[in-house]
Amino acid sequence: DEAYALITPDALLTEFPEKLNYDIRHLDRGDFLNEIPCHVEGLKSDAWIHRSAKVSPLAVISCEEGPVIVDQNARISAFCILNGPLYIGRDCILDRVMMSNSRAGKSCRLGGEISDSMIGDFTNKHHEGFLGHSIVGDWVNLGALTTTSDLKNNYGEIKLEYGHRKFHTGRIKFGGIIGDYVKTGIG
């Protein structure tokens, strides 16, 4: 039924931009910088950088596809490329990351390439590797060069199965669902 479809993993990924735009309406603009300390492509008013966040002037934020929110005490280092829609949780540390259409919970350490993914709290993916169209839980550590494949080899529809239920996603891309406390090895 329709109510059940709203909580499927693919719905979490698909509905993220709409949910982020809804959440922005509840932010207090006074908590965020008026002058963005790095290069911004698109509307600067769509870049929400918390006053306590540290953003290198050598980072790039693109709001052309949606807003970018960097929450309290987050640190964005040089050579990070952030493409909206994007939410970076409080106390996150981003180093050499290229990230788009994703959500990172609080206290994450992220690097490499991340696209179209939902990342829980206290999760690390700090090194090179690709994370795409994936849902990652809390307290996860993805070792260096961990990569999720997100394109089905035959370009067919991704179907998910949980217990005895099957879900049709209508998508040809879906990476992984990685549960809480999972640790992956290097490479």
Side-chain angles (χ1 to χ4, degrees), residues 10 18 39 45 51 61 70 106 112 122 131-132 136 141:
D10 58 300
E18 177 185 327
H39 177 72
S45 60
R51 292 185 179 285
I61 294 175
V70 177
K106 65 183 175 186
F122 304 102
L131 180 69
V136 181
N141 187 63

Side-chain angles (χ1 to χ4, degrees), residues 2-187:
E2 187 176 327
Y4 193 80
L6 293 176
I7 60 168
T8 62
D10 58 300
L12 285 173
L13 297 176
T14 303
E15 295 173 7
F16 168 69
E18 177 185 327
K19 302 291 185 196
L20 185 66
N21 281 321
Y22 175 81
D23 290 345
I24 282 176
R25 291 185 264 170
H26 301 286
L27 293 177
D28 181 357
R29 189 47 126 167
D31 292 339
F32 295 84
L33 296 174
N34 292 323
E35 293 297 318
I36 308 304
C38 65
H39 177 72
V40 176
E41 297 174 353
L43 294 174
K44 288 187 178 189
S45 60
D46 283 343
W48 295 71
I49 310 298
H50 195 274
R51 292 185 179 285
S52 63
K54 303 265 189 265
V55 179
S56 168
L58 298 177
V60 175
I61 294 175
S62 173
C63 298
E64 293 178 322
E65 298 295 321
V68 173
I69 301 171
V70 177
D71 216 333
Q72 298 176 27
N73 300 314
R75 191 189 85 207
I76 312 300
S77 71
F79 312 115
C80 288
I81 300 172
L82 307 179
N83 295 300
L86 192 61
Y87 172 78
I88 305 301
R90 63 184 167 92
D91 302 313
C92 281
I93 298 172
L94 276 59
D95 291 315
R96 303 165 322 279
V97 72
M98 184 167 41
M99 192 168 179
S100 62
N101 193 33
S102 296
R103 175 217 179 262
K106 65 183 175 186
S107 298
C108 294
R109 289 180 51 110
L110 304 172
E113 184 179 358
I114 300 169
S115 176
D116 303 283
S117 294
M118 307 293 277
I119 301 168
D121 298 338
F122 304 102
T123 289
N124 297 311
K125 188 227 161 297
H126 197 232
H127 299 285
E128 294 303 315
F130 174 70
L131 180 69
H133 294 88
S134 295
I135 299 171
V136 181
D138 297 339
W139 294 98
V140 172
N141 187 63
L142 301 177
L145 301 175
T146 294
T147 294
T148 60
S149 176
D150 66 353
L151 179 62
K152 190 168 181 176
N153 292 345
N154 66 4
Y155 301 97
E157 178 188 9
I158 304 288
K159 296 177 188 126
L160 303 174
E161 188 172 330
Y162 180 74
H164 298 292
R165 297 190 81 156
K166 291 186 180 185
F167 302 95
H168 293 270
T169 66
R171 306 165 64 109
I172 62 170
K173 286 188 173 186
F174 195 92
I177 300 173
I178 302 171
D180 294 346
Y181 303 104
V182 167
K183 315 273 184 273
T184 64
I186 296 173

